[in-house]
Amino acid sequence: MSKPDLLVIGPLYGPTMAQLDAAYTTHRYWEAADKPSLLGQIAGTCEAVATSGGHGLKAEVIKALPKLKIVGSFGVGYDSVDVAACKAAGIHVTNTPDVLTDCVADTTWALILSTVRKTVSYDKFVRDGKWLKGNAPLTDKVWGEKMGIIGLGRIGKAIAKRGEGFGMQVAYHGRSKQAGVTFPYYATPAELARNVKILVVVTPGGKETDKLVSAEVIEALGPKGYLINISRGSTIDEEALVKALATGKLGGAGLDVFVEEPKVPEELFKLDNVVLQPHVGSGTHHTRTAMGQMVVDNLAAYFVGKPLPSEVPETL
Ligand code: NAP
């Protein structure tokens, strides 16, 4: 029996690609020199697309595939997938929530500790031989401090749980107060920022959260505050952030995500009050394997007519 067609938008985790290659006739969109011609060749047969939060799925590709019915997206955030276009065309979109929650929370904590306690600059201090000339400068502390979380969802709650282990006082902001959550709630990001020392952003990306952390929020956090972004680059006014870090109007920042990643504003490279990471929140073999399995399971469920394990709420 011939295998179903699967359009893969961009390179995925190697072992996941191997699973997809085994089950489908895969078409590598990113490798195609003539993309419209590839779409034309599979337009009459292709019901499935595999992509990721990074690669996304554009309306033009959706439009070119009239038989498309299922999208398996690798990652929990799907702001780069045109969900409205999928919904309008009756296409089911799936993502990979939950399995990545704890590793992303761990990564966030690596950023919190390395930003506030200056682990990265200390490492450089030792390597550069500066220790031989004198002791390193002291830092702020983490335990017992006030931590604000913008987006107290699955990952936000796992970050908060770790924060409680550090004796921190956790507060949060979201679109509304959550039932059963006892942490103090602040109705705006600025109000939350004014009341905490470490502010963590862990919302979805997309239009709704664009520059949710504005220049005003950064100013409210202030010269003694730290901003940690594990969400999407778009959720922060990056220009205002760079300026505040360069002028000492913000104490420090730990950033995993950027507006035009993998391009990072070069001004940040000169600053030692910022820790930079290449979007590796979920980047462990364990978690990437589990995420890949969810993509495989969602696509397989569609082809055997079973309920989809993790469809996004918008297309349910
Ligand atoms: P989730 O459970 O859906 O949580 C998202 C939270 O964001 C919810 O608490 C929601 O609260 C809040 N939120 C949504 N829209 C908002 C808005 N406009 N203003 C304020 N708060 C808003 O999702 P999750 O699994 O925790 O993942 C969260 C995000 O983390 C993903 O969407 C992705 O962007 C990011 N992420 C990054 C990495 C990485 O590698 N850096 C890895 C995984 C995930 P309300 O509904 O109450 O507003």
Side-chain angles (χ1 to χ4, degrees), residues 12-22 74 288-289 291-293 295-296:
L12 299 176
Y13 181 53
T16 306
M17 263 322 288
Q19 282 176 282
L20 295 175
D21 284 334
F74 187 102
R288 292 283 166 91
T289 301
M291 291 162 69
Q293 192 59 52
V295 173
V296 168

Side-chain angles (χ1 to χ4, degrees), residues 5-9 25-29 38-39 42 46 48-51 57 61 65:
D5 285 311
L6 175 71
L7 179 70
V8 187
I9 301 294
T25 300
T26 50
H27 303 275
R28 287 163 160 74
Y29 189 64
L38 168 63
L39 293 175
I42 59 174
C46 185
V49 160
T51 187
L57 181 60
V61 176
L65 296 177

Side-chain angles (χ1 to χ4, degrees), residues 76-77 79 100-101 104 150-156 173-176 178 202-205 208-209 212 230-232 256-257 279-282:
V76 66
D79 47 289
L100 45 62
T101 295
V104 180
I150 302 184
L152 194 73
R154 290 169 290 233
I155 301 170
H173 163 75
R175 286 166 297 186
S176 54
Q178 295 189 28
V202 62
T203 62
E208 262 201 53
T209 55
L212 188 63
I230 196 79
S231 60
R232 289 287 184 260
D256 186 50
V257 284
H279 199 153
V280 287
S282 65

